[in-house]
Amino acid sequence: MARVVMALPSENLVATVEAFCQAATTHAEATNSGEYKTANRAYANLVAALKCLEAHESTHLLRPLLHSAMIGPKLWSATYFLSRGETKAVDILNQLATRKDILGFSAQMTLREWQAGRLTFHFPA
């Protein structure tokens, strides 16, 4: 049975990408400062934005974030695309893995899990 998805106006998809960016930025900041509750809420918002974009077959709108100056959107978009088999994300994560902070470590572990075939992107219910 074919999946039916209601069309969203393009401005709603742009708002969804902006919500992804905000959530990714908040997650990175909270991770760096050890605020795990804030990071967990940001992750839930990030996943909600991804679910919406996937439902509307619009995850391609995240591609520009691979070149973002902001670490959160860059890290999370690269992680998303890596989990979808896009090898361009490897270069970006390798670059981020050189950072000497928790986000660099996150990029290292993401690559390690991907190389071991264990990277999955879980969407909580």
Side-chain angles (χ1 to χ4, degrees), residues 62-90:
L62 297 175
R63 283 194 193 289
L65 300 180
L66 292 170
H67 307 288
S68 176
M70 298 180 300
I71 182 71
K74 187 178 220 175
L75 176 62
W76 276 106
S77 61
T79 299
Y80 175 80
F81 286 117
L82 182 68
S83 73
R84 299 306 185 258
E86 301 212 14
T87 55
K88 170 72 175 146
V90 174

Side-chain angles (χ1 to χ4, degrees), residues 17 22 34 60 78 85 113:
V17 172
Q22 180 59 51
H60 65 279
E113 292 303 298

Side-chain angles (χ1 to χ4, degrees), residues 35 43 51 95 104:
E35 299 172 40
Y43 177 77
K51 282 182 176 181
Q95 173 198 7

Side-chain angles (χ1 to χ4, degrees), residues 82 89-97 105-117 119:
L82 182 68
V90 174
D91 295 335
I92 292 164
L93 289 167
N94 274 322
Q95 173 198 7
L96 295 174
F105 180 71
S106 179
Q108 288 174 18
M109 293 299 100
T110 298
L111 285 167
R112 187 172 92 183
E113 292 303 298
W114 173 73
Q115 290 164 342
L119 181 67

Side-chain angles (χ1 to χ4, degrees), residues 31-54:
T31 298
N32 255 341
S33 63
E35 299 172 40
Y36 71 92
K37 289 182 181 180
T38 300
N40 289 346
R41 279 191 302 274
Y43 177 77
N45 292 335
L46 187 141
V47 169
L50 280 172
K51 282 182 176 181
C52 179
L53 291 170
E54 282 194 333

